[in-house]
């Protein structure tokens, strides 16, 4: 199983083909991967394919392609307001189930 650190470089791409590199936080407590609205706007993620509830808050769902450590995942991810947070992308267990997260790996 491939090892990842708590923070990893990822490439996220929308259905329009636009892509961008970010440092994402690996969040073993999150069921689903989430990205900030600013990321969605920058690479034109969409259209919205559904919605989910997280802590009582409704969040839109969109399709995206995420590359981590040369592995590519096509997933439905949720959009979240991460304004003011250092990491605009949280990688959840929907992707992390394919990795071993090592918080202190150098």
């Amino acid at each position: 199983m491939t090892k990842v650190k708590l923070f990893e470089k990822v490439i996220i791409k929308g259905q329009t083909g636009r892509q961008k590199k970010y440092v994402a936080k690996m969040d073993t407590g999150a069921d689903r991967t989430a990205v900030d609205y600013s990321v969605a706007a920058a690479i034109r993620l969409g259209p919205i394919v559904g919605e989910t509830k997280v802590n009582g808050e409704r969040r839109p769902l969109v399709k995206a392609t995420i590359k981590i450590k040369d592995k590519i995942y096509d997933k439905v991810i949720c959009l979240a307001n991460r304004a003011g947070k250092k990491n605009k992308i949280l990688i959840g267990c929907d992707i992390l189930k394919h990795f071993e997260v090592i918080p202190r790996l150098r």
Side-chain angles (χ1 to χ4, degrees):
M1 187 172 275
T2 303
K3 295 179 181 180
V4 292
K5 299 177 279 187
L6 191 56
F7 299 94
E8 288 285 349
K9 291 178 184 171
V10 302
I11 296 173
I12 184 166
K13 182 168 78 170
Q15 291 182 315
T16 63
R18 283 192 168 192
Q19 65 182 32
K20 198 165 180 187
K21 191 182 291 187
Y22 290 90
V23 174
K25 182 176 181 180
M26 307 300 118
D27 187 352
T28 59
D31 291 332
R32 188 185 301 267
T33 296
V35 302
D36 187 67
Y37 289 104
S38 65
V39 173
I43 62 170
R44 296 185 181 162
L45 285 179
I48 294 171
V49 296
E51 69 178 19
T52 189
K53 268 191 172 180
V54 178
N55 299 325
E57 174 190 349
R58 292 182 187 268
R59 294 184 181 176
L61 297 172
V62 296
K63 291 181 182 177
T65 300
I66 298 177
K67 182 178 179 183
I68 305 173
K69 295 262 184 168
D70 296 325
K71 297 184 185 288
I72 298 171
Y73 301 93
D74 293 315
K75 291 288 180 182
V76 173
I77 61 174
C78 71
L79 303 182
N81 181 3
R82 296 195 49 77
K85 309 270 180 161
K86 183 178 179 183
N87 299 97
K88 300 299 182 187
I89 300 177
L90 292 179
I91 303 296
C93 290
D94 57 337
I95 293 176
L96 289 179
K97 65 186 175 188
H98 303 285
F99 294 95
E100 181 180 359
V101 179
I102 309 294
R104 295 183 185 179
L105 184 67
R106 293 181 185 251

